[in-house]
Amino acid sequence: MFDRIKGSAMPFVVGILGGSRRIYATALETDLDGVWEKWERSKNLVPPRLVKSGPCQDVVHMGDEANIETLPAAVWTVGHDPGPYHTSPFVISRDPETRVPNVGVYRVQVKGPRKTGLMIYPPRNMNQHIRKNESRGCATEAAIVFGTDPVIGLTAVSPFPYGVDELAAAGGIRGEPVDVVRCLTVDLEVPATAEIVVEGKVPFQAREQEGPFGEYAGYMGEGGIHPVFEVNCITHRRNPIYQAFMSQMPPSESSCIKSFGREMEVRRHLKNNLGLPVHDVCITESSGATAMLLISMRKQNRFQPLKAMMGAWSLAIGVGKITIVMDEDIDIRDPFQVEWALSFRMQPAEDIHIVRNTDPMALDPSQPLKDGKKLPPTEQVSSKIGIDATRKFPYPPPSVPPREHLERVAANWAHYGIREVPQPRTET
Ligand SMILES: Cc1cc2nc3c(=O)[nH]c(=O)nc-3n(C[C@H](O)[C@H](O)[C@H](O)COP(=O)(O)O)c2cc1C
Ligand SMILES: [Mn+2]
């Protein structure tokens, strides 16, 4: 938390939801092993509860008084970004037909005191609201919320199916409804205890250049044509705290959050839908939580490693440009062990599968050029590599002393007069 920000009275916090895997677990009020179970609770939707008033509306700035430039948004990639961005906006909007709300994180580029960009990828849920509204010539009302109960932030960055209200999913994780208050100028409800709420709309067909922005892959992205948002009013707590996500070059808060969510999605699909004996799934942060997918399994036959790769590739999330399947004794979160498995359980001529004509990863700068020019995302084609680094037949015993010996030595370490006591490696 930074509490002396030049040009703003508000303190600025960053890294509070995904500064590390431990922080992420803490945000869900559990430990690393409890994260999966907490997320499973998000399936029991608990609709929000409407209350009369809330601290998020203690202070109200209407019309020209509502200046979004007073919020302490940062310039993240100095020298490359055109200006400040809000990286942790929980954007709430509503389906005009079903009235079901949605919460998503879509970055907000500050463009003026009452005008911002809203970078929404085509498959995102809010796009459907905009499309439906614009088919009737209407604007799309939205509320941009900063600083909430952590479970709301974590559901807002997770892709629930269209039609699921992320606030109801957050209620499921919490085990009690999220209290919401009505907005003052738009037909929406926002979490009553939020720090800051910016109400406004995407005017009918308002689109403009958005970006460039320092992207998840660790390179600048050019941006593109995206919706524009106009501010009606800003409400906030009496002494609000402003929240941002650290993104850009991995590892980052963004890569931590994404890897957790995507690992759980791949694991759920491989285990629950395909019945594969998967032990662990890791999507590395160095790959922007996208490119490198590691799977360990206690395989029951020689076909399952390839099935696991294909199962993961068939998901819409586009992960695993490089996918490696290993036996369950390998700790796939330890790069040393992964390289050991690749070195001695894999034959390049036999165990590597290259699949062509697959969907590309967004913003992958290695995407091939055509006639020296970058192709637009819709015309890009990529490929995938899958490596089966599981043992194909019985192996000799590993060249390590018995585990009891190692544990006895570790337990006696201090007794030998050596001060630092290392943790014994219990994996073989
Ligand atoms: C730190 C962070 C920043 C993100 N920024 C954007 C963004 O600018 N635009 C976007 O379309 N998705 C972005 N996402 C992904 C969406 O938030 C995510 O897909 C979410 O599920 C969207 O909500 P929806 O499924 O209700 O559309 C970001 C995710 C994270 C973790
Ligand atoms: Mn959604």
Side-chain angles (χ1 to χ4, degrees):
M1 176 159 125
F2 300 87
D3 55 8
R4 286 190 299 143
I5 304 286
K6 195 171 167 189
S8 178
M10 294 178 197
F12 175 112
V13 294
V14 67
I16 58 168
L17 298 188
S20 70
R21 289 177 76 86
R22 277 198 35 214
I23 292 173
Y24 185 102
T26 305
L28 287 169
E29 292 179 74
T30 183
D31 54 19
L32 281 178
D33 295 331
V35 168
W36 164 272
E37 195 248 302
K38 281 274 183 180
W39 271 109
E40 288 293 289
R41 292 194 206 174
S42 66
K43 288 185 200 147
N44 316 325
L45 301 178
V46 176
R49 173 172 58 202
L50 186 65
V51 296
K52 286 226 161 58
S53 63
C56 72
Q57 293 174 338
D58 276 350
V59 180
V60 177
H61 302 280
M62 277 288 173
D64 285 337
E65 306 262 284
N67 179 354
I68 200 167
E69 290 177 337
T70 59
L71 304 182
V75 178
W76 294 93
T77 324
V78 175
H80 294 289
D81 285 357
Y85 284 88
H86 298 285
T87 53
S88 180
F90 309 141
V91 184
I92 303 185
S93 56
R94 197 196 281 291
D95 182 308
E97 287 159 7
T98 65
R99 293 190 51 80
V100 176
N102 184 74
V103 193
V105 169
Y106 318 114
R107 74 173 180 245
V108 168
Q109 180 185 348
V110 179
K111 293 186 163 189
R114 297 183 61 197
K115 177 178 166 185
T116 77
L118 209 50
M119 202 290 277
I120 313 181
Y121 278 116
R124 303 289 188 246
N125 291 168
M126 186 177 173
N127 258 324
Q128 303 231 32
H129 302 175
I130 297 175
R131 225 183 27 240
K132 283 189 183 184
N133 279 319
E134 294 191 345
S135 72
R136 308 147 189 217
C138 294
T140 302
E141 294 186 331
I144 304 176
V145 177
F146 297 94
T148 60
D149 177 343
V151 295
I152 297 173
L154 290 176
T155 55
V157 288
S158 304
F160 288 92
Y162 185 77
V164 172
D165 176 5
E166 280 81 359
L167 291 186
I173 295 177
R174 216 346 101 252
E176 60 179 289
V178 173
D179 282 346
V180 292
V181 292
R182 277 198 214 289
C183 286
L184 304 179
T185 66
V186 291
D187 177 23
L188 292 167
E189 286 98 43
V190 288
T193 60
E195 298 286 331
I196 304 160
V197 180
V198 182
E199 300 180 10
K201 62 178 177 297
V202 174
F204 177 65
Q205 290 184 341
R207 304 287 187 281
E208 256 183 27
Q209 170 66 31
E210 195 275 356
F213 184 72
E215 285 290 354
Y216 83 100
Y219 293 96
M220 292 303 298
E222 288 172 355
I225 302 298
H226 285 280
V228 174
F229 176 84
E230 278 179 13
V231 177
N232 298 346
C233 84
I234 299 178
T235 73
H236 58 78
R237 283 171 169 268
R238 244 171 259 295
N239 292 301
I241 299 173
Y242 171 85
Q243 187 199 342
F245 282 135
M246 177 82 187
S247 192
Q248 297 80 42
M249 176 68 78
S252 71
E253 188 168 21
S254 150
S255 63
C256 173
I257 292 172
K258 282 185 188 152
S259 73
F260 249 121
R262 291 171 170 180
E263 284 167 6
M264 287 189 288
E265 196 171 340
V266 172
R267 189 153 77 146
R268 187 176 291 138
H269 179 59
L270 299 184
K271 279 179 87 137
N272 301 0
N273 299 340
L274 306 183
L276 291 169
V278 167
H279 176 67
D280 196 9
V281 171
C282 172
I283 305 182
T284 65
E285 287 197 45
S286 43
S287 75
T290 309
M292 176 86 94
L293 167 64
L294 310 174
I295 299 168
S296 62
M297 58 159 53
R298 187 194 278 273
K299 72 170 176 181
Q300 295 146 324
N301 60 53
R302 64 198 166 99
F303 307 112
Q304 284 176 335
L306 184 59
K307 272 196 181 151
M309 295 169 201
M310 292 187 154
W313 291 336
S314 71
L315 285 167
I317 51 178
V319 295
K321 181 168 89 170
I322 309 151
T323 301
I324 308 174
V325 183
M326 287 157 279
D327 297 304
E328 69 141 28
D329 64 317
I330 299 294
D331 176 0
I332 58 176
R333 293 172 193 279
D334 177 354
F336 192 98
Q337 291 199 37
V338 171
E339 287 175 29
W340 183 63
L342 275 176
S343 301
F344 300 114
R345 297 186 185 182
M346 187 276 290
Q347 284 290 311
E350 324 277 321
D351 300 327
I352 292 183
H353 307 270
I354 291 178
V355 179
R356 291 169 205 281
N357 283 311
T358 69
D359 47 341
M361 297 194 301
L363 297 156
D364 178 359
S366 70
Q367 198 59 45
L369 306 181
K370 184 150 186 224
D371 306 326
K373 286 209 186 71
K374 271 176 81 170
L375 284 168
T378 48
E379 287 169 39
Q380 292 174 359
V381 176
S382 184
S383 55
K384 304 221 188 289
I385 176 168
I387 306 177
D388 177 356
T390 61
R391 286 166 296 203
K392 314 298 180 306
F393 40 78
Y395 264 43
S399 52
V400 289
R403 181 183 298 185
E404 309 85 77
H405 291 195
L406 297 176
E407 283 171 359
R408 200 157 79 219
V409 170
N412 283 333
W413 208 252
H415 179 72
Y416 303 143
I418 299 168
R419 258 181 302 159
E420 288 291 308
V421 181
Q423 289 301 309
R425 282 269 293 271
T426 49
E427 321 83 25
T428 42

